[in-house]
Amino acid sequence: MCASSRKLFWLIVALLAALASVVGLNAALNPAQKHMSGQACPSCHLPGNEVNKENAHLLVAPQEKLCAEACHTNSVQISHPSGIHPALAVPSAYPLDWKGDMTCSTCHNVHGNTPGLMRGSARGRNLCLSCHDRGFFDKMADQGMSMISSGHMSSATAKIDLSGLDVDPFTVQCMGCHGDYTDKLGTTIDSKQVLRHADKSVSHPIGQRYSASFMKGRYRPESSVNQKLFLPDGRLSCVSCHQGYTKEHGKLRMSNRGSALCFECHDI
Ligand code: HEC
Ligand code: HEC
Ligand code: HEC
Ligand code: HEC
Ligand code: HEC
Ligand code: HEC
């Protein structure tokens, strides 16, 4: 190859590489299929296949049922309120439904195709501050940090490795901040799966299946345990006793006056 044809060769190689990367980029940017585009429209929309922007609000059930019960049960066990009439002013970029309720589609573009299907461009704390004022979060023990990245504490996300402990994903999320191996708020779970609170509040087994303990005796039947308590996937968890996603961070799920919380499960 002479010098000029070699130059041409490399120019072509460079052009092909550039072209390939543009094609690759386009594939990445290519609008992915819209969420639920393959599903039967009449299963949610009363107008069925005639559904359009004007009549789309005619749904066969509230979204808390259509979206949450049908597919996204994991996402809504511990969540931002949904299906409620807002007391605060909600900006029009976050539309309420026909009955004036804040619902899934207030925050989500349900037929969108962007990650998280979020409306608008605000994310994280900025999203929260579209509706809430700063003071709302300042008052919380954790300044809202446990909630601002999502509208949900998802039972499907377990980001932190609890080095072999067998606990539910909610506990993993709490321990992400409270565990002594992170930023030392000082709660520990030992290798026998016993939780020790930092301030010496009750020490307690964690991660165990309630049904297995029940079989051993001295526990109330799961069905008679106060519905306010929560056993994710049937197991003892931080969120069995504590609320998650609340303005009162870490609040007990019910009063423990006279050990009332304990007696919901323990049948001495
Ligand atoms: C699992 C339930 C579900 C299914 C299935 C579904 N939709 Fe929707 N759709 C919704 C919800 C919820 C909204 C938001 C309604 C509102 O804003 O009040 C919506 C809104 C819409 C809107 C209004 C504009 C927008 O994007 O928000 C259109 C148009 C629409 N749907 C078309 C369709 C079509 C066409 C199908 C079938 C391919 C379909 N939908 C299937 C739940 C569903
Ligand atoms: C206050 C706003 C808000 C409301 C109301 C809301 N969400 Fe979300 N949701 C979010 C945010 C924020 C995320 C995180 C999105 C991201 O990853 O960027 C999210 C994420 C999700 C995800 C992704 C996976 C996960 O579990 O985190 C699902 C599924 C979901 N929402 C379903 C729902 C359903 C169903 C409803 C109605 C019952 C609902 N959302 C109501 C804000 C909201
Ligand atoms: C579109 C408006 C909107 C957005 C965005 C929004 N919220 Fe809310 N939030 C509400 C409404 C409405 C309520 C119900 C209380 C009320 O009406 O004052 C509420 C209630 C709450 C509560 C109280 C739950 C309880 O009962 O203890 C918390 C906590 C909360 N929001 C956190 C967040 C966080 C964190 C974000 C960001 C991820 C967020 N919100 C984003 C509108 C919004
Ligand atoms: C983003 C980090 C973070 C996450 C995640 C988190 N917390 Fe906290 N939590 C904090 C901080 C910070 C404090 C304040 C600590 C202090 O004052 O010593 C706190 C305080 C608390 C308190 C004491 C509240 C009070 O008023 O004294 C409880 C109880 C609590 N958290 C429970 C939980 C539970 C249960 C979970 C999981 C559902 C959880 N936390 C998840 C950061 C977090
Ligand atoms: C069996 C019920 C139960 C379980 C399970 C539980 N807690 Fe607690 N927790 C309590 C009680 C009771 C208190 C004392 C609260 C009070 O007196 O108001 C408390 C207090 C706390 C406090 C404040 C005191 C301190 O130690 O700093 C934090 C933080 C806390 N819990 C975090 C957690 C975390 C994280 C988990 C999961 C690893 C968890 N708790 C699991 C019942 C429980
Ligand atoms: C959500 C149900 C539930 C609540 C609420 C609860 N416990 Fe438990 N507790 C259990 C179960 C189930 C076990 C047995 C776990 C196992 O099999 O190791 C247990 C075990 C214990 C143990 C270990 C000793 C033993 O006999 O296994 C102690 C101590 C204890 N609980 C004290 C308490 C106290 C004090 C409270 C109130 C602050 C409380 N528990 C609240 C369900 C609960």
Side-chain angles (χ1 to χ4, degrees), residues 150-200:
S150 182
H152 319 274
M153 256 189 106
S154 176
S155 66
T157 28
K159 291 180 194 113
I160 299 120
D161 177 18
L162 286 184
S163 36
L165 292 181
D166 186 19
V167 294
D168 67 287
F170 296 115
T171 294
V172 172
Q173 288 165 71
C174 304
M175 289 300 280
C177 289
H178 286 279
D180 66 339
Y181 45 79
T182 51
D183 60 358
K184 302 199 167 43
L185 287 176
T187 308
T188 59
I189 302 178
D190 70 17
S191 57
K192 295 203 172 109
Q193 304 216 166
V194 175
L195 140 83
R196 291 174 172 81
H197 284 94
D199 78 341
K200 313 283 187 285

Side-chain angles (χ1 to χ4, degrees), residues 18-258:
L19 190 71
S21 82
V22 168
V23 170
L25 193 66
N26 273 348
L29 292 179
N30 227 356
Q33 256 207 336
K34 290 192 167 186
H35 185 49
M36 302 190 292
S37 61
Q39 289 195 32
C41 322
S43 62
C44 294
H45 293 285
L46 199 56
N49 296 326
E50 308 300 313
V51 57
N52 56 42
K53 270 196 159 65
E54 281 65 46
N55 64 21
H57 66 280
L58 291 163
L59 296 169
V60 300
Q63 295 182 35
E64 287 66 39
K65 185 178 170 75
L66 295 177
C67 312
E69 280 181 26
C71 293
H72 299 298
T73 41
N74 277 343
S75 307
V76 295
Q77 298 182 35
I78 303 184
S79 250
H80 193 279
S82 185
I84 50 130
H85 195 72
L88 51 75
V90 174
S92 58
Y94 297 98
L96 304 175
D97 75 356
W98 63 272
K99 47 190 180 338
D101 282 0
M102 164 149 180
T103 178
C104 314
S105 65
T106 301
C107 292
H108 293 288
N109 200 350
V110 295
H111 292 302
N113 55 7
T114 52
L117 304 180
M118 294 310 296
R119 288 189 186 273
S121 55
R123 296 289 181 275
R125 186 175 285 268
N126 288 339
L127 168 70
C128 314
L129 294 177
S130 311
C131 295
H132 297 284
D133 56 37
R134 237 163 251 284
F136 180 68
F137 295 107
D138 288 348
K139 279 185 245 141
M140 300 175 187
D142 71 335
Q143 272 80 51
M145 291 303 287
S146 61
M147 302 180 291
I148 54 171
S149 62
S150 182
H152 319 274
M153 256 189 106
S154 176
S155 66
T157 28
K159 291 180 194 113
I160 299 120
D161 177 18
L162 286 184
S163 36
L165 292 181
D166 186 19
V167 294
D168 67 287
F170 296 115
T171 294
V172 172
Q173 288 165 71
C174 304
M175 289 300 280
C177 289
H178 286 279
D180 66 339
Y181 45 79
T182 51
D183 60 358
K184 302 199 167 43
L185 287 176
T187 308
T188 59
I189 302 178
D190 70 17
S191 57
K192 295 203 172 109
Q193 304 216 166
V194 175
L195 140 83
R196 291 174 172 81
H197 284 94
D199 78 341
K200 313 283 187 285
S201 297
V202 60
S203 299
H204 206 272
I206 194 146
Q208 296 76 6
R209 294 201 179 272
Y210 191 85
S211 55
S213 309
F214 173 72
M215 300 298 278
K216 293 186 226 155
R218 293 190 291 121
Y219 295 97
R220 295 189 185 286
E222 197 174 330
S223 57
S224 76
V225 172
N226 190 330
Q227 293 291 306
K228 279 189 193 163
L229 305 192
F230 179 37
L231 295 161
D233 201 18
R235 307 165 76 175
L236 288 172
S237 161
C238 305
V239 295
S240 299
C241 299
H242 294 279
Q243 297 179 23
Y245 223 103
T246 161
K247 57 186 167 196
E248 295 169 87
H249 180 81
K251 191 181 177 191
L252 291 179
R253 286 189 172 263
M254 57 175 280
S255 160
N256 194 29
R257 186 180 302 222

